[in-house]
Amino acid sequence: MSTPEPGAARRPSARSPRRWWRSARFAWTGVTRTYRTQANFRLECWAALGALGLTVWLRAPVAPVALACALVLSLELLNTALEAVVDLVSPEWHALAGVAKDAAAAAVLLGSAGALIVGLSVLLPPLLTRLGLT
Ligand SMILES: Nc1ncnc2c1ncn2[C@@H]1O[C@H](COP(=O)(O)OP(=O)(O)OP(=O)(O)O)[C@@H](O)[C@H]1O
């Protein structure tokens, strides 16, 4: 017989809308806390909003831009999560902690470079047309 998880009795059943809502609230807390504490995430949020606004204004395809923005923001959230776990388990300097943090930061950098390429390839041609430069 399996041992019940701690706190399981207080938790709504797995399929209930209340459980889904509860998880969504925790996720939103993750977003707002990261926004408050991480300057890079704030910058990326505003850049994403700007890119989406520009996309709508130019009547360019929204899906690739939205996906690129979601990728960067998700990677930054994961990077923040990983930094917090590393700081928890290894508050002292450790080579492996450095490896983990550097790799997570690299993931954000790589995702941001990809998003920039997507943004430029989708938005630059219609922007130049709109500005009468082509
Ligand atoms: N405990 C540690 N052990 C070894 N190296 C670490 C450790 N903590 C941080 N580092 C090194 O310092 C770098 C910066 O780490 P830090 O936690 O300050 O992240 P950051 O990129 O400045 O993020 P933020 O500004 O969001 O806190 C890491 O990428 C890693 O190379």
Side-chain angles (χ1 to χ4, degrees), residues 11-34:
R11 210 175 288 160
S13 80
R15 275 174 293 163
S16 82
R18 267 185 56 217
R19 174 126 186 208
W20 183 90
W21 180 241
R22 184 174 176 269
S23 302
R25 280 207 332 264
F26 286 135
W28 183 244
T29 302
V31 171
T32 55
R33 185 183 295 133
T34 305

Side-chain angles (χ1 to χ4, degrees), residues 34-80:
T34 305
Y35 186 87
R36 273 199 315 276
T37 59
Q38 303 294 319
N40 285 348
F41 187 68
R42 285 196 291 278
L43 187 73
E44 288 152 4
C45 282
W46 287 105
L49 209 63
L52 287 169
L54 192 61
T55 307
V56 171
W57 180 62
L58 294 169
R59 296 201 177 93
V62 174
V65 177
L67 208 60
C69 292
L71 175 77
V72 174
L73 296 178
S74 303
L75 286 173
E76 191 66 50
L77 287 162
L78 284 174
N79 179 39
T80 302

Side-chain angles (χ1 to χ4, degrees), residues 37-40 76 79-80 83 86-87 90-103 105:
T37 59
Q38 303 294 319
N40 285 348
E76 191 66 50
N79 179 39
T80 302
E83 276 179 8
V86 169
D87 289 343
S90 176
E92 71 290 349
W93 211 254
H94 193 291
L96 286 176
V99 168
K101 284 190 173 187
D102 289 349

